[in-house]
Amino acid sequence: MKRLDLFGLLKKDMNFIEEELYRSIDSTEPLINDTSLHLLKAGGKRLRPVFVLLGGKFGEYDLDKLKRIAVPLELIHSASLVHDDVIDDAEMRRGQPTVKSKWDNRVAMYTGDYIYARALSIAAGLPNPDIHRVLSKALVQMSIGEMEQIRDFFNVDQSVRNYLLRIRRKTALLIAVSCQLGAMAAGARESVNSLLYSYGYNVGMAFQIQDDLLDLCGTEKKIGKPPGSDMRQGNITLPVIYALEQPELRADLLAEIRRIQDGDGQGDARKAVDMIKKSEGIAKAEILADRYINKALNALDLLPDVKTKKTLRDIAHFVTRRSY
Amino acid sequence: MKRLDLFGLLKKDMNFIEEELYRSIDSTEPLINDTSLHLLKAGGKRLRPVFVLLGGKFGEYDLDKLKRIAVPLELIHSASLVHDDVIDDAEMRRGQPTVKSKWDNRVAMYTGDYIYARALSIAAGLPNPDIHRVLSKALVQMSIGEMEQIRDFFNVDQSVRNYLLRIRRKTALLIAVSCQLGAMAAGARESVNSLLYSYGYNVGMAFQIQDDLLDLCGTEKKIGKPPGSDMRQGNITLPVIYALEQPELRADLLAEIRRIQDGDGQGDARKAVDMIKKSEGIAKAEILADRYINKALNALDLLPDVKTKKTLRDIAHFVTRRSY
């Protein structure tokens, strides 16, 4: 999956962060090197480091300090993905075979453990105790979210609220603290940190809703995995929950979901995907994503008028318009 | 498995740590509560917290500070065990069904992630950046050790040195930093911290060798799992490496190990265990464990003469004499 298009200084700094990412996972154990490199090379948008650097623009921008937040946050994100792939039994991610499919579940688990430990080891170099507090709280919430994911597999009776709580922990929190910690590391004012947190939180919510929409409406080429993967894995997302609320659809859709569930992840989700795409679920999820983006833009309006605001605004608009 | 027999103040303080351990894992997500509680309730010797408190006796002993090291270190240890059980496909630990057998591998993986995150979140409350540095470095080494374990499964050509490097990362490092961080949190002198590290490191090496000996020579009732579990899981331990060095034994023992390997963890290891018990491997491993204990006692001799030294000496002697 492509990295974000970035211009000027940020592009140069992000290339530096990219190098630091590769350097950070280097070890003397060949297997760990291979799996970690494979994971990093599969790419990703590097959204969290971008947000750290942009957050840093609201204070004294110091790349050397910011890298010690940006690199760990991307590593933590990568570690959580490699563990998620074990849970979801996912063969492909970002158009590449996953660590669990190229090696096995055990190697994937320890790869995640290793990358996670590396992340913490880099973050440990930061002297500001508030940063450790914010980061570690987010990590606890994220890990609770992981377990909620298992709990909610194939749970067709979950509410929209339940879904939102789950993606909050799964995605939004880490993006929120990326923005916030970038500003904190740059010594920005408390009010600035909070507004950036709010911006990141709302962008993160919209980002995950859009991700879940793309899993239904995207093309395999663009999203790097077959559409309907979430359904096959039992991950009941927002458009599905909305579609299930339509009385004339509910019974048929429930039957399809049960059929997929009985297929143990191998079932064909195309019929269910078609039903949802024809339902109101897509439009309603898009509306909710837009509402989160508007909240993010509102937080942005209250921030000091630095040039970076335009980039953050562009990213917010990109989030719900992207097709990958 | 029993906790260590402790007397006086330490016993009271360890009961407090035990309560704090239970409190630390409390969450609103019922599944996480159940699995974490199951893990903690299965017990363990709580060796790492004991070492933290004893290390703290070499400085200004403050239980409120020390708990913020003792609890995370025990949690980190527990998290690594629950992930190890996934890798080893272990059904029993400490006489109880493992999380992976009572629930499943996925739940075990996320339980480990959660407990690990909780540990870091508590440790984050400590203001001393040196403590974060020491702790996070140990975590990286531990996670590399996890991967080495996979690499070395059923590797019958590994050297004694290779085995020692592996148990260093797997066990000795965390015990070493338990002693060291206890002293650091109590503001002890640098030389004291180093000696305690050395004590802990050597005790930890002996502890793991003894653990590996018990897996071969212990009774199921005492060790909480059937003897020979390591062999069945492909974990080639020190007595096995020594036994394989005996020319008259090597071919037959290799054949037995291959047979166990082909049985995919289900094979009967009794014959192999008998061969090793009759070899020189047991005595040679015991001698090496004793050498580590002597090194630990030497480090202890150089420490200031506080009452705690006697307890540390008792523990060192206990390590290689224990049958559980």
Side-chain angles (χ1 to χ4, degrees), chain A residues 103-234:
Chain A
W103 286 270
D104 62 29
N105 280 341
R106 309 192 302 178
V107 169
M109 187 172 80
Y110 279 164
T111 298
D113 288 358
Y114 169 69
I115 292 178
Y116 200 79
R118 276 285 181 211
L120 299 166
S121 158
I122 297 163
L126 288 155
N128 184 344
D130 285 341
I131 290 178
H132 295 286
R133 197 178 34 77
V134 168
L135 181 58
S136 66
K137 268 194 181 173
L139 296 181
V140 170
Q141 292 302 314
M142 278 178 73
S143 65
I144 295 175
E146 291 180 329
M147 202 64 111
E148 287 172 335
Q149 210 167 315
I150 295 187
R151 180 197 64 193
D152 293 340
F153 274 150
F154 286 112
N155 174 8
V156 289
D157 293 317
Q158 60 185 292
S159 60
V160 170
R161 183 168 172 274
N162 190 71
Y163 165 85
L164 295 176
L165 276 172
R166 196 171 69 240
I167 67 167
R168 175 178 188 273
R169 289 187 163 130
K170 179 184 174 182
T171 306
L173 265 177
L174 197 64
I175 293 184
V177 300
S178 297
C179 299
Q180 180 190 14
L181 290 178
M184 280 174 77
R189 282 204 317 277
E190 179 58 35
S191 60
V192 168
N193 304 346
S194 302
L195 285 167
L196 279 167
Y197 178 95
S198 170
Y199 166 85
Y201 172 76
N202 287 297
V203 162
M205 293 297 281
F207 184 88
Q208 187 58 51
I209 294 173
Q210 180 69 9
D211 232 40
D212 294 345
L213 277 163
L214 284 172
D215 183 71
L216 294 162
C217 307
T219 62
E220 176 157 359
K221 200 178 160 205
K222 289 261 189 186
I223 61 176
K225 58 184 176 177
S229 294
D230 285 339
M231 287 231 115
R232 277 193 303 279
Q233 289 155 3

